[in-house]
Amino acid sequence: PDHAIEAVRDWIAQSRRLCVLTGAGVSAESGVPTFRDAQTGYWAQFRAEDMASEPGFRAHPARVWHWYQHRRGLVSAVAPNAAHHALAGFAAQHPGRLTLVTQNVDGLHQRAGSPDVVALHGDLFADQWLDACCPQCTPALQAGQLTATEPPACPYCGNLRRPGVVWFGECLPQAALDAAEVAAQGCDLMLVAGTAGVVYPAAGLVLQARDAGARVVIVNTAPTELDRLADAMLQGAATTVLPALLG
Ligand code: APR
């Protein structure tokens, strides 16, 4: 309802430090599958522990590598949407007022021009070594192998390259988590868009913001686990609501 949008627009106008936490729902309308949407979510098709965990990768490296190659191809072929552009546009208009923290690894916020994106769960297009390196394990090794359906491997020690994303059971990059916590605890308004709010520590940032006295606004097409923390819950698509709030 428009009066809710107007109220939140006023909160944003009054806000000096806005923290935005995004999830897969802000990329959904670009054509990137989410994880938990009932029919289309990745976790409706695969088991997360098979496809997004170190044991899953060690058990079936080709299967996991192939899925990430598939996701890289899909994301490379889509464009940022109006939600990504609304966030980038606001940041350009109001330098230093908005900190964008994302759980997404698709790089669409960055491609839309958002600066200083805090990427909690890594980067879909980055790789790293699975195990400790031998002297010959250099990233250059994989240069010509990126299109392989098998993960590139060091010919000397067999070390495998793995996607540079945070898998279940793994720690988040400490610098990103620290930056996200500083932003959540220092903001006066926390805008949560397109996330089911079920994965921690990302979801915990919302409670940290609330405990620090921030207002909480949720933008989602459906109810979320975080709604109980919200001062306002705006039901609608990110590409509709975010431009209405930030434009
Ligand atoms: N606009 C706004 N919200 C949407 C839209 C849309 N067009 N489409 C879907 N959503 C909402 C869904 O209702 C859901 O609440 O986006 C949310 C997507 O939730 P998930 O698929 O669980 O994605 P996310 O919350 O980002 O997952 C967090 O879990 O699998 C791990 O590491 C992965 O970063 C991911 C983390």
Side-chain angles (χ1 to χ4, degrees), residues 22-26 28-29 34-37 43 103-104 121 166 168 193-199 219-224 236-239:
T22 63
V26 301
E29 290 162 274
T34 65
F35 294 96
R36 294 175 184 81
D37 278 326
W43 303 148
Q103 300 169 89
N104 299 340
H121 294 165
V166 179
F168 288 102
T195 180
V198 298
V199 171
V219 175
N220 202 301
T221 44
T224 81
T239 56

Side-chain angles (χ1 to χ4, degrees), residues 83-214:
H84 300 107
H85 289 300
L87 288 161
F90 185 93
Q93 289 288 318
H94 307 279
R97 268 184 66 193
L98 183 155
T99 302
L100 177 56
V101 178
T102 190
Q103 300 169 89
N104 299 340
V105 296
D106 57 34
L108 291 177
H109 285 304
Q110 295 89 331
R111 283 173 52 193
S114 284
D116 311 319
V117 177
V118 179
L120 292 175
H121 294 165
D123 172 3
L124 182 63
F125 295 91
D127 287 330
Q128 61 198 52
W129 287 112
L130 177 64
D131 291 311
C133 290
C134 77
Q136 283 76 20
C137 281
T138 60
L141 264 182
Q142 74 166 28
Q145 303 180 41
L146 262 188
T147 55
T149 54
E150 299 271 341
C154 173
Y156 304 94
C157 72
N159 199 359
L160 297 179
R161 294 293 276 176
R162 51 154 287 178
V165 304
V166 179
W167 280 335
F168 288 102
E170 295 186 326
C171 297
L172 275 61
Q174 195 58 48
L177 188 52
D178 291 346
E181 292 189 339
V182 165
Q185 293 166 19
C187 72
D188 47 36
L189 182 57
M190 166 68 91
L191 181 59
V192 186
T195 180
V198 298
V199 171
Y200 286 77
L205 295 166
V206 182
L207 187 59
Q208 288 180 38
R210 185 175 179 73
D211 286 350

